[in-house]
Amino acid sequence: MLDQINTYLIDMLGPLGPLIAVGFLGVILILVTLPIMMNKKQDPMDRLKARVKKNGGQETASSEAAALRRKGGTDKLDKYAKFLEPEDKEQLAGMKLKLLQAGYKQKSAVRTFHFMQFALGLLFLTFGLIYALFLAGDDISTRNLILSIVIPGGAGYYLPKYWIERRSQERVTQIEAGFPDALDLMLVCVEAGQGLDQAIIRVASEIRAGYPALADEFEIVAHEMKAGKDRVTVLKDMSERAGVPDVSSFVTVMIQSASFGTSIADALRVYASEMRDKRVMRAEEKANVLPTKLTLGTMMFTVPPLMIILIGPSIHDIYVNLNGGGL
């Protein structure tokens, strides 16, 4: 059936008939989707702004300050929030958490992520279409034509997701590397007489040069504690944002220490020692894996030249003797 449709389109529209049909179908889908995207109920704040402008455009100083506080710099994406954000609350919360773990804390991070997926998908799809129409030539097959258009579009769509995964892995690595040092600094601050809140603030300022991701997490914890949020909730939120098992264990130790009334300094001393030992074990593990990784390189770049040096002269002599004997 597909071959018949393909032959029919080529007979009617020429060699590029299937491509023209796909492009026409894409235009129809875009024209059908745009009214659905634009069909959004007017926001109450927009109605209020329109009413203020209708009454003379005069706003008091307090209303201007409130407008500045409300403005987040994402007005263009706010219009398409219904289209760019998942309607499922669990899916939206999971996406926000994933972006938080990648270091994107803005309110509009989810909208920006989906917008970049949509924009890059269309951009790469356009590049593929230009390549298929003008650079590939007329003798390109239908399968290669479709692949040259679809593959760049899919690559552009999944590029932001790959970027987020890469950023999350880099951030986890940075937090794991800096967490033992942060615990040592925190232990010093606590033993010097500072409270846990002041110790967190001091540690965040001290480690920012080497581990900015971990410093950001400690600063968020300090600000939330200053705002009056419960310490247990703040620490649990930190473990979720970090996505690192070491931080989750640290939060559990702090919660248990506060629940049972034990000394925070003693808990920090024991846990900091464990983190140092764990970092040493992690380094030893990488060192033990290194010879195994070097085996493949050794076999590829050492054994073939060695075999050529050892066996090459013998093979050459045998070849010369056989040719001489034949003559």
Side-chain angles (χ1 to χ4, degrees):
M1 182 177 179
L2 293 176
D3 294 337
Q4 294 178 355
I5 294 174
N6 189 20
T7 305
Y8 177 74
L9 291 175
I10 292 175
D11 293 338
M12 286 189 61
L13 303 175
L16 298 178
L19 180 60
I20 296 174
V22 172
F24 182 71
L25 181 61
V27 172
I28 293 177
L29 292 176
I30 293 174
L31 294 177
V32 172
T33 307
L34 283 177
I36 299 175
M37 293 172 55
M38 301 299 294
N39 187 16
K40 181 187 175 184
K41 295 181 179 179
Q42 189 177 8
D43 190 82
M45 293 302 300
D46 295 335
R47 290 201 300 268
L48 181 60
K49 291 179 182 178
R51 187 181 303 172
V52 171
K53 291 182 180 180
K54 186 177 180 181
N55 292 333
Q58 300 294 329
E59 290 185 350
T60 62
S62 60
S63 62
E64 290 179 357
L68 289 174
R69 286 195 298 269
R70 288 193 302 266
K71 188 174 181 181
T74 58
D75 297 336
K76 295 181 180 180
L77 294 182
D78 288 342
K79 298 179 182 179
Y80 311 104
K82 187 176 180 181
F83 174 74
L84 294 175
E85 290 184 353
E87 296 183 359
D88 188 5
K89 293 183 179 180
E90 294 183 357
Q91 186 177 0
L92 179 60
M95 195 67 218
K96 286 183 178 179
L97 179 60
K98 186 178 293 185
L99 292 173
L100 279 174
Q101 292 176 351
Y104 297 101
K105 304 177 178 65
Q106 295 83 1
K107 184 179 179 181
S108 60
V110 178
R111 302 173 197 168
T112 306
F113 172 76
H114 290 291
F115 173 75
M116 291 302 297
Q117 279 191 319
F118 181 73
L120 289 177
L122 286 180
L123 181 63
F124 280 64
L125 190 67
T126 304
F127 288 158
L129 185 62
I130 293 173
Y131 170 78
L133 288 177
F134 301 104
L135 301 178
D138 297 335
D139 56 346
I140 185 172
S141 62
T142 305
R143 185 187 67 177
N144 294 333
L145 184 65
I146 295 175
L147 291 178
S148 63
I149 297 174
V150 174
I151 290 178
Y157 181 80
Y158 283 103
L159 186 61
K161 188 174 181 180
Y162 170 76
W163 175 259
I164 294 297
E165 295 292 338
R166 184 73 178 271
R167 283 290 301 270
S168 299
Q169 293 176 1
E170 291 178 355
R171 196 163 179 270
V172 166
T173 303
Q174 186 181 134
I175 292 175
E176 287 181 348
F179 198 62
D181 296 335
L183 289 181
D184 290 334
L185 290 173
M186 193 179 299
L187 176 61
V188 172
C189 294
V190 171
E191 288 182 342
Q194 291 184 342
L196 184 60
D197 301 350
Q198 291 80 9
I200 289 175
I201 296 173
R202 184 60 183 271
V203 169
S205 63
E206 291 291 337
I207 66 174
R208 174 163 295 279
Y211 310 103
L214 187 57
D216 291 339
E217 293 298 331
F218 280 131
E219 281 189 354
I220 292 174
V221 170
H223 292 325
E224 289 182 348
M225 286 183 179
K226 283 183 179 180
K229 198 172 181 179
D230 183 43
R231 180 181 294 179
V232 175
T233 306
V234 171
L235 293 175
K236 288 183 178 179
D237 292 341
M238 176 186 175
S239 66
E240 289 183 0
R241 289 193 307 268
V244 179
D246 295 342
V247 179
S248 300
S249 302
F250 165 74
V251 170
T252 303
V253 170
M254 290 293 100
I255 293 174
Q256 290 178 353
S257 177
S259 300
F260 295 108
T262 58
S263 174
I264 295 178
D266 294 339
L268 282 174
R269 187 180 298 107
V270 174
Y271 193 70
S273 177
E274 291 181 358
M275 287 296 100
R276 287 194 299 270
D277 294 339
K278 191 173 182 179
R279 182 167 60 180
V280 172
M281 293 173 62
R282 196 180 294 126
E284 291 177 352
E285 181 182 357
K286 290 183 178 179
N288 293 329
V289 172
L290 186 61
T292 305
K293 293 182 178 180
L294 290 176
T295 302
L296 181 61
T298 303
M299 293 177 61
M300 290 179 60
F301 299 106
T302 303
V303 175
L306 183 62
M307 297 297 292
I308 292 174
I309 293 172
L310 295 177
I311 306 177
S314 300
I315 296 177
H316 181 266
D317 293 340
I318 294 172
Y319 177 75
V320 170
N321 293 329
L322 289 176
N323 289 338
L327 294 173

